[in-house]
Amino acid sequence: MNIHDIKKEFPIFDDKIQNNDLVYLDSANSSQKPRIVVDRIYDFYTKEFSNVGRSVHYLAVAATNLYEQTRVSVQKYINAKDKDEIVFTKGATEAINLVANTFGQKYLSEGDEVLLTELEHHSNYVPWHFLRKAKNIKIEFAEINDDGEVTLEAIEKKITNKTKIISVSHLSNVTGAILPIKEIVQLAHLKNIPVLIDGCQGAPHLKLDMQDIDCDFYAISGHKMYGPTGIGVLYAKKKWLEDLPPYQGGGGMINEVKKEGITYGELPNKYEAGTMATAQVIAFNESIKFMEKIGIQNIEKHEKELLDYGLEKLRKNNSVNIIGNPKEKGGVISFTIEGVHPHDIATILDEDGVAIRAGHHCCQILHDKLNLPATARASFGVYNTKDDIDKLDEAINKCKKIFNL
Amino acid sequence: MNIHDIKKEFPIFDDKIQNNDLVYLDSANSSQKPRIVVDRIYDFYTKEFSNVGRSVHYLAVAATNLYEQTRVSVQKYINAKDKDEIVFTKGATEAINLVANTFGQKYLSEGDEVLLTELEHHSNYVPWHFLRKAKNIKIEFAEINDDGEVTLEAIEKKITNKTKIISVSHLSNVTGAILPIKEIVQLAHLKNIPVLIDGCQGAPHLKLDMQDIDCDFYAISGHKMYGPTGIGVLYAKKKWLEDLPPYQGGGGMINEVKKEGITYGELPNKYEAGTMATAQVIAFNESIKFMEKIGIQNIEKHEKELLDYGLEKLRKNNSVNIIGNPKEKGGVISFTIEGVHPHDIATILDEDGVAIRAGHHCCQILHDKLNLPATARASFGVYNTKDDIDKLDEAINKCKKIFNL
Amino acid sequence: MDLKDLYQEIILDHGKNPRNLGKFDNYNKDAKGNNPLCGDNVHVYLRLNENKKVEDIAFEGHGCAISMASASIMTDMVRGKEEKEVKEIVTDFLGMIKEKDSLETNILKDDEKTKLMSLSGVKQYPMRVKCATLSWHTLTSALDNSDQIVKTEE
Amino acid sequence: MDLKDLYQEIILDHGKNPRNLGKFDNYNKDAKGNNPLCGDNVHVYLRLNENKKVEDIAFEGHGCAISMASASIMTDMVRGKEEKEVKEIVTDFLGMIKEKDSLETNILKDDEKTKLMSLSGVKQYPMRVKCATLSWHTLTSALDNSDQIVKTEE
Ligand SMILES: Cc1ncc(COP(=O)(O)O)c(C=O)c1O
Ligand SMILES: Cc1ncc(COP(=O)(O)O)c(C=O)c1O
C-alpha cells in the first residue's frame, strides 16, 4: 500500500461533502475509517453475527474466535507480553476511569498524590479528580515549558514520597509534544511508582512496544486508530490486572455467583463485564491490519513530512501564531490568528471543506496556562497530503480577508 | 411490514450457515440485525463520519444532530418525559453499574439493604455486590415461586425500613416471567424507595411507557433490540440525573476545569464522558424505527403466538421438561431433557442449524434454586416462525435418538 | 449557506470593537454565562433603576466574533428600555434565531430590527447559534436574579 | 464435522454411567475444577502411595456427556500408574486434543489409546474442548498440590 495514495482506501473521500472535496484535518478528534474496517462490520452483522462467549452454537463459537483474534492482534501490535494484558473498553476514557477507579480503591488514601501534567486531556484528569473528592488525595501537575513540552525534569520536580501513580499523555493533542515516556517510566519505577500512559494520540501515530516502554498501563481509543467508535483498549501489566479489583460487574466476568458472595473470572474476563462491543472489537482487527500493512514507520515518516511542510507553510503565513514548539512533535498544529477567534476560523475554513477543530480541545488547564480561551487545530492522519495543507493555508487567507486583516 | 415475512429484512438469513438454514433461537442473548441498521452504520462511516459535539465543521455538526435525534427517538419510544432523561451507555450492564455506583456513593451506607430477586441476571447483582464489599450493605433476594415468577407479595415480604433501592428484571431471561413492575414501583414509592428496572429483556419485547411505569431507572441493551453492539440506554428520572454524582470522568461531561476543581456539564452530557459510541447510537435510531414500523403490539402478539405454539409442542415432546410456568411470560423457553446435558443438547441442535443457548444464562442464583447446574434455552425474536419451532422440536428428537432415549 | 450572511460588516465591526465592554461600578444585577464546548464566556452587568428601567448595561467576556457582536448589539439595544420591554425583545430575538423569519416586537424601531437581524445568519450554522444567544440568555438570568450560571447547550 | 465422532458409543456409555464417580475416605490429594461459562465442575480425589503410585482415584461433579466421560475414562486409565507416568499421559492427552493427530506415549497400551482417542472428536468442536480437558487439568492440579481452583478458559 502506497501511503501517498491511501486516500482512496477511505470511502469518505469518494464523494464531495457540501460541494467540496473534503480536507479532513480533524484526525486527533477522530480518524476516518478505511473501507476494509467498514466492510468488516457490514459482513459481520450480515453474515456472521452472534454474541460472544456465551453460547456453543456455530455462530457464537466463530464470533468468540474472531473476538479473541483481535486481542492477539492488539497484543502483537503493541508488543505486550501476554494477550491477557489486553482489556477491551469502550474507549480510552473508560480505560483511564477503570485504572483510576480500581487503583484508587486499592492504593490511594488521604494525602496521597497523583501526578499528571498541565497538558492532560480532561479524560486524564477528571477520573483522578473523583478520587480527590472521594479520598482527599492531591493532584499535582507537572509544568509545560514555553515550547509546550513536558520534560523529564518537569516530572521529576513534582515527584514526592507521596506520589502513588503518574499518569501522562504520550502525545499532546494540542501542542503535539511527544513526552519522554520511556524515561518517565524508568524514573518512576526507580521510586516504585506505576505509570499510566494516555496513549490516545500516541497509538495512532507512533510505534508502540509495551515491553520496551515498560509502562504499567496504556490507554487507547479505537476510533482514533482508523477503527470503529465505541471500542478502546486498556493495556495493563498482568500483575495489575490480577491484583486490582474488578471495575464493572455483570455477566461474563464472574467465576461463581452465590447469594453470599461472588468470585471473579480469570483474565481477561474479569474486566469485560456484560456484552461487549463485539462487532467493533472484531472490526478493530482490520484497523490493526491496515496500519500494519502500511507500516507504522511509514506512517510516522509521512506524518512528519506533512508536519514539517505544514509548519513551514503556516509560519510563513502572516498573523498565524503556532502554539508550542516541541522538539519531538506529532502531526498536530494548533494555532491562532490575531484578530480572528478560533471558532470563526473553523466556520470559515469549513465553508471550503477544510475540517479543523476549534476550542480548548478538552485541555482547559493547558489553555489557561497559555492564557488562551481557545485555539484552532489542524491534525493529520495517514490520508492527508501536502495538497490538504495548501488548502488549509488558502482557507486561512480567505479567513483573514473576510476579517479584513 | 408484515411480521410473518420479516425474516427477509435480516440479511443473516439470506445465506445458509454451515449448509443449514439458520434457525436462530438465541435472541435473548443477542438479536440479529435488520438490513436498515447495518446499512445505516455503513453509510455513516463511509459518507458522514465525524466525532460528535466537539468540532464546528459540517460533518461534526451533522453527526451531532444525528446523535441527538436518536436520543429523541428513544425518548418517544419509551415515553420518557424529557430527552435529557436518556443517557447512552455501552449496554445495560454499564447502565446498571452506573446507577449502583452513583446511587451507592450518595445514598447507601452500612446496614442499608438493596432488594433484588432470585431471578436476576449477574449484571443486576454483581454491581450491587461491589457495594456490599465497599460499604457493608446487605443484599436481599425476593424469592421466585414454583412457577418461576416473582410476585408483588414476594417483593413486599422483603422490604424493610432499611431497603434503600429495589432493582428487578422486567422479564426473566430464563423463565420468561414478566414481573409486575408497575405494581412494584407503586408499592416501593409508597415507601419512598426508588426502583431500577433491568429492561434488557423487556425493551425488545414489551410496550414501554416510562411515565406510566413510573420507575426511577430503566436499563436497556441496544444489541438485544435489533441494534448494534456496544450501545445501551439508561433511562433515569431527571431528578436523579441532576442529583447523583457523575459516573465516568472525561471530555464532554464537564463545564469548567481548573487545577483546583471541576464543575460538571448539564444533562445529558454529565453522564456521557469521552467519545461515545457515535456510529452505534446513530444506527440505533434505525432499530427504534424498525420496531415502530412493525409496531410493538404486533411484536408482542407474534411472539406470544410463537410461545404458545412452542410450549404446546415441547410439552408434547416426551422427556422435555420446561422450566417455570409463569402466567405472564415472554418468548423464552428454558428446558432440560432427562438424560442429556444442556451442552450436549446445544451442540446437537447446532448441527442442524438450530442455535440455542445452554448454561446458567448468567443466572446462577436462579439455577441454584432450581437445583440445576444448567438449562437449554430457546428464545424468540420478530423473525422467528412456527417453522423454526418445528425444527427445534425435530432437532430435540434427534438429540434423544443420539442419546438412545 | 453563505459566509457573507454570517459575517456581515456590522457583525465584524461589533465583533472587533464591542460596545459596552467592561464593568461599571453601581450595577445592581449581573449574571455569568458560558459555553463549555467552546470556552466562550460572558458576564452581564446592569443597573435597573426604581422605574425598572435599564439605566446602564455592560459586559465582560471573550468569544468569537458572533458572540461578541451579539453581546455588543444587545447591550446597545436594551439600554434605556424597561424591564418588561427588554424581556419582550429577548423573547422576540431568541424566537427569531430559533424559527421565526423576522422580529415581531413593536418596541424596536425598524433600523434596530435591521441591526438585530444581522445576527440571523447563524440560523444556517447550527453550531454557532449558541454563540449568538449566550449573552441574551445571560441577560435574562441577570434580570431574574438567578444564581445559576447560564450554559448554552440545548 | 460429524456428531457421530463426538458422541461415540463409548462416550455415551461413560457419560451415562461414569466409572469412579464418588469420593473415598483415605485420599491424600485432591483438587477442584470448574468451567464458569457452562457451570460444569469436577472434584478429583486420589491416593498416592509411598512409591508415588496412584492407588485409588475417583471424582465428583456434574457436566455434559463429554466431561463426565472424560473424567470417567481418565480415572480408569491412571489408576495403578506412577505419578511420572500419569503426568506423561496427561501431557500426551492434552497435546492430542490441542494439536497432535495421535497419542505418542508408550505407557498406554493400544486399546487404552483407542479408548482415549474416542475423545478426539471434540477437536472439531472448539467450544467443547474444555469439557474434555477440565478433569485432566484438575488431576494435574491435585498432583501438584495446587490450591488454585482450575478454571478452563484458555
Ligand atoms: C435480564 C438481563 N439483564 C442484563 C443483561 C446484560 O445485558 P448486556 O450484556 O447487554 O449488558 C442481560 C443479557 O444478557 C439480560 O438478559
Ligand atoms: C490525549 C487524549 N486523551 C484522551 C482522549 C479521550 O479519548 P476518548 O474520547 O476516545 O475516550 C483524547 C481524545 O479526545 C485525547 O486526545
Side-chain angles (χ1 to χ4, degrees):
Chain A
M1 251 191 272
N2 182 345
I3 202 161
H4 293 289
D5 53 21
I6 212 104
K7 235 177 198 164
K8 61 180 196 287
E9 307 290 332
F10 290 79
I12 193 112
F13 299 113
D14 288 353
D15 297 324
K16 301 229 171 208
I17 306 281
Q18 295 282 96
N19 298 321
N20 286 302
D21 288 329
L22 175 62
V23 178
Y24 190 77
L25 293 169
D26 198 18
S27 295
N29 189 352
S30 194
S31 64
Q32 294 297 340
K33 318 304 171 202
R35 186 171 285 108
I36 47 160
V37 171
V38 191
D39 283 351
R40 189 69 196 89
I41 298 173
Y42 190 85
D43 287 347
F44 177 64
Y45 279 132
T46 55
K47 297 194 171 70
E48 310 164 57
F49 181 74
S50 167
N51 206 343
V52 153
R54 298 166 187 214
S55 294
V56 298
H57 56 76
Y58 174 78
L59 291 172
V61 176
T64 307
N65 291 341
L66 290 167
Y67 183 91
E68 292 303 324
Q69 275 166 29
T70 302
R71 201 186 302 280
V72 173
S73 291
V74 173
Q75 177 211 345
K76 293 199 173 133
Y77 186 74
I78 68 175
N79 195 27
K81 210 179 207 160
D82 194 306
K83 71 172 183 45
D84 290 346
E85 298 180 321
I86 308 302
V87 175
F88 292 116
T89 65
K90 74 176 174 186
T93 297
E94 177 169 81
I96 299 170
N97 275 273
L98 190 164
V99 177
N101 179 292
T102 59
F103 184 87
Q105 265 184 65
K106 185 148 182 181
Y107 290 110
L108 296 184
S109 45
E110 181 152 1
D112 283 343
E113 292 172 15
V114 171
L115 177 51
L116 313 178
T117 83
E118 289 179 338
L119 54 66
E120 295 315 313
H121 189 278
H122 294 161
S123 288
N124 191 23
Y125 171 28
V126 189
W128 303 106
H129 170 73
F130 290 165
L131 293 166
R132 180 162 63 184
K133 299 284 264 188
K135 297 205 151 196
N136 240 327
I137 62 155
K138 280 174 69 181
I139 297 176
E140 294 291 333
F141 297 88
E143 287 190 43
I144 53 163
N145 63 18
D146 291 343
D147 288 332
E149 300 168 315
V150 178
T151 62
L152 184 63
E153 293 68 42
I155 298 278
E156 188 159 21
K157 234 186 195 162
K158 296 280 179 164
I159 296 179
T160 74
N161 56 12
K162 292 274 184 192
T163 309
K164 287 291 165 354
I165 188 167
I166 298 175
S167 188
V168 300
S169 284
H170 194 170
L171 196 165
S172 161
N173 64 321
V174 177
T175 68
I178 297 170
L179 272 66
I181 55 168
K182 198 175 159 180
E183 292 72 19
I184 294 173
V185 171
Q186 261 167 5
L187 174 71
H189 284 183
L190 280 179
K191 300 169 194 265
N192 269 316
I193 304 168
V195 180
L196 163 65
I197 308 292
D198 171 359
C200 257
Q201 302 295 340
H205 306 292
L206 303 173
K207 184 171 160 50
L208 296 186
D209 183 333
M210 290 303 122
Q211 295 183 67
D212 181 52
I213 297 171
D214 199 32
C215 56
D216 299 273
F217 308 98
Y218 195 98
I220 293 173
S221 269
H223 70 96
K224 296 187 204 270
M225 270 182 96
Y226 313 106
T229 56
I231 152 86
V233 170
L234 172 67
Y235 159 81
K237 280 189 182 164
K238 209 167 174 177
K239 65 169 182 190
W240 288 113
L241 294 178
E242 280 165 350
D243 179 52
L244 294 174
Y247 177 54
Q248 292 184 336
M253 55 73 78
I254 53 87
N255 174 32
E256 209 172 29
V257 176
K258 299 280 170 202
K259 278 188 180 172
E260 306 72 39
I262 292 171
T263 56
Y264 306 120
E266 305 269 272
L267 301 182
N269 297 352
K270 178 178 168 190
Y271 288 98
E272 295 183 355
T275 298
M276 298 294 289
T278 315
Q280 292 78 353
V281 168
I282 288 169
F284 187 52
N285 206 346
E286 300 302 322
S287 315
I288 300 285
K289 286 189 207 156
F290 174 76
M291 290 184 73
E292 275 174 341
K293 219 159 157 185
I294 308 177
I296 188 72
Q297 295 80 357
N298 296 324
I299 294 175
E300 281 188 47
K301 186 159 158 275
H302 175 69
E303 292 176 355
K304 182 82 178 104
E305 271 171 35
L306 288 177
L307 177 66
D308 290 343
Y309 184 79
L311 286 173
E312 198 192 322
K313 194 111 196 178
L314 292 196
R315 278 194 189 118
K316 275 191 201 142
N317 193 323
N318 254 331
S319 68
V320 169
N321 174 32
I322 292 168
I323 310 301
N325 185 30
K327 278 167 284 299
E328 297 288 328
K329 181 174 163 85
V332 179
I333 306 182
S334 294
F335 61 96
T336 55
I337 302 179
E338 191 65 43
V340 192
H341 189 278
H343 282 122
D344 296 313
I345 302 175
T347 296
I348 294 168
L349 265 52
D350 183 45
E351 206 74 6
D352 291 334
V354 180
I356 64 157
R357 185 168 166 190
H360 54 56
H361 318 298
C362 298
C363 294
Q364 276 190 18
I365 305 280
L366 176 61
H367 280 80
D368 278 356
K369 175 88 173 209
L370 297 169
N371 205 9
L372 289 169
T375 52
R377 179 184 73 187
S379 56
F380 310 133
V382 277
Y383 31 66
N384 289 118
T385 59
K386 291 188 179 164
D387 188 48
D388 292 337
I389 290 174
D390 292 342
K391 285 190 179 140
L392 167 68
D393 190 54
E394 281 163 32
I396 288 176
N397 287 335
K398 176 164 163 192
C399 195
K400 297 197 299 190
K401 215 168 114 199
I402 287 181
F403 273 74
N404 308 313
L405 296 180
Chain B
M1 251 190 274
N2 182 344
I3 201 160
H4 294 288
D5 52 20
I6 212 103
K7 236 178 196 160
K8 59 181 198 288
E9 306 291 332
F10 289 79
I12 192 113
F13 298 113
D14 288 353
D15 298 324
K16 301 228 170 209
I17 306 281
Q18 296 282 94
N19 299 320
N20 286 303
D21 289 329
L22 174 62
V23 178
Y24 190 76
L25 294 168
D26 198 17
S27 296
N29 190 351
S30 195
S31 64
Q32 294 297 340
K33 317 304 170 203
R35 186 170 287 106
I36 47 161
V37 171
V38 191
D39 283 351
R40 189 69 196 89
I41 299 172
Y42 190 86
D43 287 347
F44 178 65
Y45 279 130
T46 55
K47 298 196 170 72
E48 310 164 57
F49 180 75
S50 167
N51 206 342
V52 153
R54 297 167 187 213
S55 294
V56 298
H57 57 74
Y58 174 78
L59 291 172
V61 176
T64 306
N65 290 341
L66 290 167
Y67 183 90
E68 291 303 324
Q69 275 166 28
T70 302
R71 201 186 303 279
V72 174
S73 291
V74 173
Q75 177 212 345
K76 293 198 174 133
Y77 188 74
I78 67 174
N79 194 28
K81 210 178 206 161
D82 196 306
K83 72 173 184 41
D84 290 346
E85 299 180 321
I86 307 302
V87 175
F88 292 116
T89 64
K90 76 176 172 187
T93 297
E94 177 169 81
I96 299 170
N97 276 273
L98 190 165
V99 177
N101 179 292
T102 58
F103 184 87
Q105 265 184 65
K106 184 147 182 182
Y107 288 111
L108 296 183
S109 45
E110 181 152 2
D112 284 342
E113 292 172 15
V114 170
L115 177 53
L116 313 178
T117 83
E118 288 179 340
L119 55 66
E120 295 315 311
H121 189 279
H122 294 161
S123 288
N124 191 23
Y125 171 28
V126 189
W128 304 107
H129 171 73
F130 289 166
L131 293 167
R132 180 162 63 185
K133 298 284 264 186
K135 298 207 151 194
N136 240 324
I137 62 154
K138 281 175 67 182
I139 297 177
E140 295 292 333
F141 297 88
E143 286 191 44
I144 54 161
N145 64 18
D146 291 343
D147 289 332
E149 300 167 318
V150 178
T151 62
L152 184 64
E153 294 67 42
I155 299 278
E156 188 159 21
K157 235 186 193 162
K158 296 280 178 163
I159 296 179
T160 74
N161 55 13
K162 291 273 183 192
T163 310
K164 286 289 164 1
I165 187 166
I166 298 175
S167 188
V168 300
S169 284
H170 194 170
L171 196 165
S172 160
N173 64 321
V174 177
T175 68
I178 298 170
L179 272 66
I181 55 168
K182 195 174 161 180
E183 291 72 20
I184 294 172
V185 171
Q186 260 166 5
L187 175 69
H189 284 183
L190 281 179
K191 299 170 196 266
N192 268 318
I193 305 167
V195 181
L196 163 65
I197 308 292
D198 172 357
C200 257
Q201 302 296 340
H205 305 294
L206 303 173
K207 183 170 162 51
L208 296 186
D209 182 333
M210 289 303 123
Q211 294 183 68
D212 181 51
I213 297 170
D214 199 33
C215 56
D216 299 273
F217 307 98
Y218 194 98
I220 294 173
S221 268
H223 70 96
K224 294 185 205 272
M225 271 182 95
Y226 313 108
T229 55
I231 151 85
V233 170
L234 171 66
Y235 159 80
K237 280 187 182 165
K238 207 165 175 180
K239 65 169 184 191
W240 289 114
L241 294 178
E242 281 166 349
D243 179 53
L244 295 174
Y247 178 54
Q248 292 184 336
M253 56 72 79
I254 54 86
N255 173 32
E256 209 172 30
V257 176
K258 299 280 169 203
K259 278 189 180 171
E260 306 72 41
I262 291 171
T263 56
Y264 306 120
E266 305 269 273
L267 300 182
N269 298 353
K270 178 177 168 191
Y271 289 98
E272 295 183 356
T275 298
M276 298 294 290
T278 315
Q280 292 79 350
V281 169
I282 288 170
F284 187 52
N285 206 347
E286 301 301 322
S287 315
I288 300 285
K289 286 189 206 156
F290 174 76
M291 290 185 71
E292 275 174 341
K293 218 157 156 187
I294 307 177
I296 188 72
Q297 294 81 355
N298 296 325
I299 294 175
E300 282 188 48
K301 185 159 160 274
H302 175 68
E303 291 176 357
K304 182 82 177 103
E305 271 171 33
L306 288 177
L307 177 66
D308 290 343
Y309 184 79
L311 286 173
E312 198 191 322
K313 195 112 194 175
L314 292 196
R315 278 193 188 118
K316 276 191 201 142
N317 193 322
N318 253 332
S319 66
V320 169
N321 174 31
I322 291 167
I323 308 302
N325 185 28
K327 278 168 286 298
E328 297 288 327
K329 182 173 162 84
V332 178
I333 305 182
S334 293
F335 62 96
T336 55
I337 302 178
E338 191 65 44
V340 192
H341 190 278
H343 283 122
D344 296 313
I345 302 175
T347 297
I348 294 167
L349 265 52
D350 183 45
E351 206 75 6
D352 291 334
V354 179
I356 64 158
R357 185 167 167 192
H360 53 56
H361 318 297
C362 298
C363 295
Q364 276 189 19
I365 304 279
L366 176 62
H367 280 80
D368 279 357
K369 173 89 174 209
L370 297 170
N371 206 10
L372 289 168
T375 52
R377 180 185 73 186
S379 55
F380 310 133
V382 278
Y383 32 66
N384 289 118
T385 59
K386 289 187 180 165
D387 188 49
D388 291 338
I389 290 173
D390 292 341
K391 284 188 180 141
L392 167 67
D393 190 52
E394 281 163 33
I396 288 176
N397 288 335
K398 177 165 162 192
C399 195
K400 297 197 299 191
K401 215 168 115 199
I402 288 180
F403 273 76
N404 308 313
L405 297 179
Chain C
M1 290 201 288
D2 193 342
L3 284 174
K4 296 243 169 62
D5 292 342
L6 190 61
Y7 295 108
Q8 301 183 24
E9 255 331 303
I10 178 167
I11 304 274
L12 294 174
D13 172 34
H14 278 264
K16 205 165 176 179
N17 307 301
R19 327 298 195 253
N20 315 308
L21 187 64
K23 185 177 168 179
F24 56 96
D25 271 348
N26 57 344
Y27 66 90
N28 53 16
K29 305 228 164 217
D30 77 310
K32 280 187 191 178
N34 72 49
N35 181 337
L37 273 182
C38 19
D40 288 1
N41 62 50
V42 65
H43 195 153
V44 172
Y45 304 90
L46 63 96
R47 178 166 182 79
L48 222 53
N49 69 13
E50 54 278 19
N51 304 323
K52 299 252 173 202
K53 215 176 219 173
V54 177
E55 233 174 58
D56 201 1
I57 180 164
F59 75 101
E60 288 179 333
H62 51 70
C64 61
I66 311 295
S67 84
M68 295 308 274
S70 184
S72 171
I73 294 172
M74 175 190 82
T75 43
D76 257 4
M77 201 133 307
V78 304
R79 182 179 290 105
K81 303 264 189 321
E82 281 173 29
E83 182 176 14
K84 242 183 56 195
E85 294 175 325
V86 172
K87 289 203 164 173
E88 186 175 321
I89 296 169
V90 171
T91 307
D92 199 31
F93 174 77
L94 293 177
M96 181 276 286
I97 293 291
K98 209 165 171 190
E99 52 197 8
K100 285 182 303 163
D101 285 335
S102 58
L103 294 163
E104 285 159 10
T105 178
N106 295 323
I107 298 163
L108 295 175
K109 282 171 266 159
D110 275 356
D111 64 327
E112 287 179 318
K113 285 189 183 174
T114 309
K115 216 171 185 179
L116 266 192
M117 285 304 287
S118 71
L119 286 159
S120 67
V122 296
K123 296 166 88 160
Q124 299 168 49
Y125 296 84
M127 289 303 265
R128 307 305 302 278
V129 162
K130 43 183 187 250
C131 307
T133 59
L134 176 61
S135 52
W136 297 76
H137 287 297
T138 309
L139 172 58
T140 305
S141 170
L143 288 172
D144 295 348
N145 275 331
S146 159
D147 279 343
Q148 276 230 310
I149 294 178
V150 171
K151 293 171 212 142
T152 45
E153 291 175 275
E154 8 219 325
Chain D
M1 292 201 288
D2 193 344
L3 283 174
K4 296 243 168 61
D5 291 343
L6 189 63
Y7 295 108
Q8 299 182 28
E9 257 329 307
I10 179 170
I11 303 273
L12 293 175
D13 172 34
H14 277 263
K16 204 165 176 179
N17 307 299
R19 326 299 195 253
N20 314 308
L21 186 65
K23 183 176 168 181
F24 55 96
D25 271 348
N26 56 344
Y27 67 90
N28 52 16
K29 303 227 165 220
D30 77 310
K32 280 186 192 179
N34 72 49
N35 181 336
L37 272 184
C38 20
D40 288 2
N41 63 51
V42 64
H43 195 154
V44 172
Y45 304 90
L46 63 95
R47 178 166 183 79
L48 221 55
N49 69 14
E50 53 278 19
N51 304 325
K52 298 252 173 203
K53 213 176 217 173
V54 177
E55 235 176 57
D56 201 1
I57 181 164
F59 74 101
E60 289 178 332
H62 51 71
C64 62
I66 312 295
S67 84
M68 295 308 274
S70 184
S72 171
I73 294 171
M74 174 190 83
T75 45
D76 256 4
M77 201 134 306
V78 303
R79 182 179 289 106
K81 303 267 189 320
E82 280 174 30
E83 182 176 14
K84 244 183 54 193
E85 295 175 324
V86 172
K87 289 204 165 171
E88 187 175 321
I89 296 169
V90 171
T91 307
D92 200 29
F93 174 77
L94 294 177
M96 181 276 287
I97 292 290
K98 210 167 171 187
E99 52 198 7
K100 287 181 302 162
D101 285 336
S102 58
L103 294 163
E104 284 159 10
T105 177
N106 296 322
I107 297 163
L108 295 175
K109 284 171 266 161
D110 276 355
D111 63 329
E112 285 179 319
K113 285 189 182 174
T114 310
K115 215 173 185 178
L116 265 193
M117 285 304 286
S118 71
L119 286 159
S120 66
V122 296
K123 295 166 87 160
Q124 299 168 48
Y125 297 84
M127 288 304 265
R128 308 304 303 277
V129 163
K130 45 183 184 246
C131 308
T133 58
L134 176 61
S135 53
W136 296 77
H137 287 297
T138 310
L139 172 57
T140 305
S141 169
L143 288 171
D144 294 348
N145 276 330
S146 159
D147 280 343
Q148 276 232 308
I149 294 178
V150 171
K151 292 171 212 144
T152 45
E153 293 174 274
E154 3 223 325

